[in-house]
Amino acid sequence: MYSGAAAAGSPRRDFISVTLGPEEAAGVGGYNNSKAWRRRSCWRKWKQLSRLQRSVILFLFAFLAVCGVISYTSMGETWKSITNKSFDDQRTEQEIPRLKLANPAVLPAPQKADANHGDYPELSLQKPPKPPHVRRGPSNLQIKAPRRDTRLKTQHDTMRAVEELVEKDKVEKTEKSIISWRGAVIEPDQSTEPPSSKIMELEKSSPVEPEDQKEPMPINERQLAVIEAFRHAWKGYKDFAWGHDELKPLSKSYSEWFGLGLTLIDALDTMWILGLKEEFEEARKWVANDLVFDKNVDVNLFESTIRILGGLLSTYHLSGDSLFLEKAKDIGNRLMPAFKTPSKIPYSDVNIGRGTAHPPRWTSDSTVAEVTSIQLEFRELSRLTGDEKFRKAVDEVMKHVHILSGKNDGLVPMFINTNSGQFTHLGVYTLGARADSYYEYLLKQWIQGGKKENELLEDYMRAIEGVKKHLLQRSEPKKLTFVGELAHGHFSAKMDHLVCFLPGTLALGAHNGLAADHMKLAETLIETCYQMYAQVETGLSPEIVHFNLHAQKGHKDVEIKPADRHNLLRPETVESLFYMYRFTGDKKYQDWGWEILQNFNRYTRVPTGGYTSINNVQNPRNPEPRDKMESFFLGETLKYMFLLFSDDIDLINLDKYVFNTEAHPLPIWVPA
Ligand code: DMJ
């Protein structure tokens, strides 16, 4: 691309020759090369000239000198603009629209990751470095300072190297005010101002900490397998369900729940983390052009908070693109009518177009897990917008539940009445459906807020003691520790797959300084969750298992009832495997996750695109596909798989981010 002139590094110059007279040109006077003779002869000639002739010659020399200086300067400018233009021309078509899409205040101009730079001279100022390996995250966050080449050969090269260092310094300063692909674009301490001013601040400050500048680790084979699985799932969604809530991969159609593109929104940050740039850009366009919340539709407060609000907020944090924050504010505001109840315990359903809310038709109760697992998202929305109403509404729920009677050693019932604010259906305690994420969010809110909110910690610690006291048992023959249920004083050896979030949560608590025996319990429970897969014919867990409390010949620990043998592609075990691997480094957790991924591929993958839930995990010959891919398969299961197989603790650093219950990472306000 560049000529040899460019390689030599000097701008092309024009030369003008001046003929002094015929005698000189012809060499009249004979050839004598002695220096003294030449000096004398020149001087004599000069003296022989008239005053006018001498003035003309002097004027000509002066004129040429001025021209030389001017042409040197303007050629330098021309060269710079030529080389810059050439670099711009290398951008791909996909990258050009991103320049418009990306938030210009926080994202750098994109740099083509795979351009062939072989034609660049070694020390060219414009030479962008070739990335050493595949990087995650769309390439507009992959700016890297030019490599410093020390092989200098000439004085001129030294000058160029100095210029290069100045240029490098400029690039580094720009980089620091931007972000690396994996750091939080919006820093946790920028809490109460509107986003526009935050973005301005980011331009000024240097939010990236040194470790964020570290080179991301290369993607390994297992992670590549997750990327392949994601792409396959995405292909099905794109071909048959684009913009709809869920893919029905067998009937090559879709199902609607809220009519808000649930799978697409749930999957946004997964695509970002997996580095699926094109898919992300396409989905981003849909969010920009087609995602409309002004719709006469009833949505479930909890589900839309964890999947939509959570997904938009985390994508905003990862990408820095204010589109996602705007959408998050919109949906957040539209969900607020849910809190207008006599007790301030929110209704389960909201009509986001009409601004009305109501409980389910058959009751005025809400589910305890639902009203206590929306806090991370609304608190973060308040922090970002500076509007306290979101946080006040959800904090009120937690304060209320904190002092409510009807708990059993910190364990909560499953329902709460929106009129009276009291627990209902007392006496049933589970860590599974309808209560699960209450426990998870006690710990995670405490972490999110910088470990200062003691009531949350108190409730969490008490609840774990309650679990130990009332719900833990060991199975036969393998003596697996499991978490059962308590119904009016009677223990049931039933455990939902949903409970498998618990080992991960316990490990996260231990990592944050809580009792070491929480980690021990996490280790025993994750073994149990793994056995819920390993002891089943397909190697996939059913929705619910019953553990054998007494040894019986020919019986395993795990029993499955016909009504419970479906698998919905749920994430909880993989989620806990991820935490366990992060905190222990024990490779067995990666191996277990790898087995699970292979079994998902074996029994739930639909050849034409997508994955399906199945009805029978006990029948490898016919697992009975249900024809539905839940949004959390892309939002959670595959994301946690990808993170589990990574050895990079900075790939969503758990001292900086806390995952909501739908696997959307949100920043910890005061990072450890
Ligand atoms: C997800 O929506 C969330 O993880 C929720 O907390 C529980 N159910 C599904 C996944 O199983």
Side-chain angles (χ1 to χ4, degrees), residues 357-389:
H358 58 87
R361 241 171 261 133
W362 60 91
T363 175
S364 54
D365 288 351
S366 285
T367 295
V368 170
E370 292 194 357
V371 300
T372 56
S373 311
I374 48 180
Q375 279 66 16
L376 291 176
E377 299 81 358
F378 279 102
R379 281 154 50 114
E380 178 59 13
L381 189 57
S382 271
R383 195 181 72 87
L384 288 171
T385 59
D387 187 343
E388 278 297 299
K389 73 172 179 238

Side-chain angles (χ1 to χ4, degrees), residues 121-286:
E122 274 192 343
L123 292 170
S124 163
L125 291 180
Q126 285 80 26
K127 180 181 178 181
K130 195 172 180 179
H133 51 249
V134 184
R135 287 157 176 242
R136 292 173 290 271
S139 67
N140 57 357
L141 291 185
Q142 293 173 4
I143 296 287
K144 192 184 167 205
R147 178 173 59 94
R148 187 181 171 191
D149 196 324
T150 49
R151 284 174 290 166
L152 305 176
K153 295 187 192 91
T154 63
Q155 175 82 13
H156 180 76
D157 284 344
T158 314
M159 295 285 289
R160 298 291 307 274
V162 172
E163 285 173 317
E164 185 188 33
L165 282 177
V166 173
E167 191 67 14
K168 178 174 177 253
D169 191 38
K170 269 193 228 157
V171 172
E172 275 174 355
K173 278 182 185 144
T174 319
E175 261 186 42
K176 277 183 190 157
S177 67
I178 303 163
I179 193 72
S180 76
W181 63 274
R182 62 186 160 189
V185 171
I186 307 304
E187 282 295 286
D189 56 349
Q190 294 165 343
S191 55
T192 51
E193 287 163 74
S196 55
S197 57
K198 261 183 247 306
I199 288 162
M200 294 302 289
E201 260 180 57
L202 285 168
E203 275 189 306
K204 282 182 258 148
S205 64
S206 298
V208 183
E209 292 176 23
E211 70 247 37
D212 288 328
Q213 297 285 346
K214 275 187 280 173
E215 199 64 41
M217 285 188 177
I219 287 173
N220 60 45
E221 276 186 25
R222 286 179 175 182
Q223 286 179 294
L224 283 174
V226 179
I227 290 176
E228 193 281 326
F230 185 98
R231 282 210 160 113
H232 183 77
W234 191 248
K235 176 188 164 9
Y237 178 73
K238 198 178 155 185
D239 289 351
F240 310 121
W242 185 251
H244 297 285
D245 282 344
E246 289 134 349
L247 168 67
K248 295 178 70 156
L250 290 161
S251 50
K252 300 192 172 75
S253 62
Y254 56 84
S255 53
E256 291 298 29
W257 188 7
F258 309 144
L260 296 173
L262 213 51
T263 295
L264 188 149
I265 300 175
D266 226 358
L268 283 167
D269 58 3
T270 306
M271 290 185 269
W272 185 273
I273 291 166
L274 269 56
L276 300 175
K277 184 177 82 177
E278 277 171 35
E279 290 84 348
F280 180 85
E281 288 300 341
E282 224 174 337
R284 192 249 181 229
K285 266 186 210 146
W286 185 87

Side-chain angles (χ1 to χ4, degrees), residues 271-328:
M271 290 185 269
W272 185 273
I273 291 166
L274 269 56
L276 300 175
K277 184 177 82 177
E278 277 171 35
E279 290 84 348
F280 180 85
E281 288 300 341
E282 224 174 337
R284 192 249 181 229
K285 266 186 210 146
W286 185 87
V287 172
N289 302 327
D290 301 300
L291 178 59
V292 177
F293 293 128
D294 191 8
K295 273 186 173 174
N296 180 9
V297 61
D298 274 359
V299 302
N300 174 283
L301 170 70
F302 163 74
E303 297 291 357
S304 50
T305 298
I306 64 170
R307 300 186 199 211
I308 300 175
L309 179 57
L312 291 168
L313 288 173
S314 72
T315 307
Y316 168 61
H317 277 290
L318 295 176
S319 70
D321 187 336
S322 56
L323 165 73
F324 299 107
L325 181 58
E326 290 311 310
K327 292 288 180 187

Side-chain angles (χ1 to χ4, degrees), residues 257 266 302-303 306-307 369 373 436-437 440-441 497-498 501 543 568-572 575 630-633 636-637 640 660-663:
W257 188 7
D266 226 358
F302 163 74
E303 297 291 357
I306 64 170
R307 300 186 199 211
S373 311
D436 49 358
S437 44
E440 179 188 350
Y441 268 38
H497 182 271
L498 287 169
F501 80 92
E543 179 74 357
L568 304 183
L569 312 170
R570 285 197 191 277
E572 290 77 16
E575 169 187 353
E630 301 281 347
S631 80
F632 50 69
F633 184 62
E636 298 193 68
T637 312
Y640 282 130
N660 86 340
T661 192
E662 189 74 7

